[in-house]
Amino acid sequence: MITKPQLIALDADDTLWANQPHFDQAEADLKAFLAQYGTPTELDEALRQVQIENLPLLGYGAKGFTLSMIEVAIKLTEGQVTGAAIQQIIDQGKKLLRFPIELLDGVEEVLDALTPQYSLMLLTKGDLLDQESKLARSGIGAYFSHVEIVSEKNEAAYQKILDRYGLQPAEFLMIGNSLKSDILPVAALGGQAIYIPYHTTWHIEQVTPPDTGIQYLQLDSLRDCLPLLLSE
């Protein structure tokens, strides 16, 4: 059950608009380019390992991802990758910074229905400039009273937001597609959380759902939130 929150926060990437499919395509293109240097599994593992190592330094987003792709290309080719090939990877990374924003089904309908009754926050993690650009390109910025772009979504980050806005955990509702980032940290603090899975999830965001102890609600679509949140 959901009790009426004082503030509803919504994740951005793959909750409000498609994001991961663009990165999946970039990975597929890189693996095709590096196919002679390993099996698909080996290439997946190489990119995964480099991304994990780079996250504390480069953070989330297209820029760090692009640098990780370049690093993998250099490592797997033992430094033989050409400048022209690196430029292709850079160009691909730039595409990730300016792809057209495609809102997911029902997003504007839901935001339009919620704004008369609730204060809405866009709460996303990643590179500040990149996330601000995506929000501007989305055309839905006016629906949000607050925008928070953080470097990580964990219990400490959510607690800072609760403190900043003077909220008790139970007064806060987070809606998102990532169990790891959007749901479990909020639920662990005693906040409310609605999990709306997306058809593809970045491997670093994939976690096993807990068996017990963490309470959250899972729905099939953003539209399914409306009967739970709108008063008659």
Side-chain angles (χ1 to χ4, degrees):
M1 294 293 293
I2 296 293
T3 59
K4 188 170 183 177
Q6 294 296 310
L7 179 64
I8 298 176
L10 295 102
D11 175 52
D13 296 335
D14 302 318
T15 297
L16 300 179
W17 53 69
N19 182 74
Q20 189 58 40
H22 298 281
F23 286 76
D24 289 344
Q25 184 59 57
E27 281 199 25
D29 292 344
L30 180 67
K31 287 188 288 185
F33 168 67
L34 296 173
Q36 63 179 305
Y37 298 99
T39 67
T41 299
E42 290 170 339
L43 296 175
D44 279 337
E45 183 56 31
L47 183 57
R48 175 187 177 89
Q49 188 59 42
V50 168
Q51 286 181 294
I52 291 173
E53 292 173 357
N54 285 341
L55 269 178
L57 181 63
L58 303 178
Y60 299 91
K63 296 171 187 174
F65 179 69
T66 301
L67 289 174
S68 292
M69 289 197 294
I70 292 172
E71 185 174 342
V72 167
I74 293 171
K75 283 186 174 182
L76 293 184
T77 64
E78 297 182 346
Q80 298 305 303
V81 62
T82 66
I86 290 177
Q87 184 62 58
Q88 287 183 332
I89 297 173
I90 292 172
D91 291 343
Q92 196 170 48
K94 288 181 178 179
K95 288 181 181 179
L96 292 174
L97 291 167
R98 57 181 181 234
F99 61 79
I101 297 299
E102 302 172 20
L103 295 179
L104 299 184
D105 184 48
V107 164
E108 287 194 271
E109 172 191 335
V110 170
L111 296 178
D112 194 58
L114 291 178
T115 46
Q117 297 188 29
Y118 293 97
S119 178
L120 301 183
M121 171 188 289
L122 182 80
L123 176 49
T124 186
K125 70 179 180 182
D127 177 77
L128 177 62
L129 183 60
D130 188 13
Q131 295 301 85
E132 286 181 337
S133 174
K134 282 190 278 191
L135 178 57
R137 300 198 311 272
S138 75
I140 58 174
Y143 287 108
F144 298 100
S145 303
H146 314 283
V147 175
E148 293 282 349
I149 300 172
V150 296
S151 58
E152 187 58 270
K153 283 180 171 177
N154 51 28
E155 289 182 40
Y158 284 110
Q159 187 61 60
K160 286 181 180 179
I161 288 173
L162 293 175
D163 294 342
R164 187 177 303 137
Y165 290 88
L167 297 171
Q168 295 299 311
E171 299 173 323
F172 179 78
L173 169 63
M174 182 71 200
I175 301 173
N177 71 292
S178 171
L179 271 177
K180 178 183 177 183
S181 295
D182 300 321
I183 307 304
L184 299 183
V186 172
L189 289 172
Q192 303 185 78
I194 296 178
Y195 173 45
I196 304 176
Y198 190 57
H199 67 82
T200 180
T201 303
W202 188 30
H203 54 80
I204 292 177
E205 290 294 316
Q206 295 174 6
V207 294
T208 301
D211 293 330
T212 58
I214 299 293
Q215 300 295 317
Y216 62 90
L217 185 63
Q218 180 171 333
L219 300 176
D220 292 329
S221 73
L222 194 59
R223 279 197 182 95
D224 292 338
C225 298
L226 293 182
L228 303 172
L229 293 170
L230 295 182
S231 59
E232 298 295 334

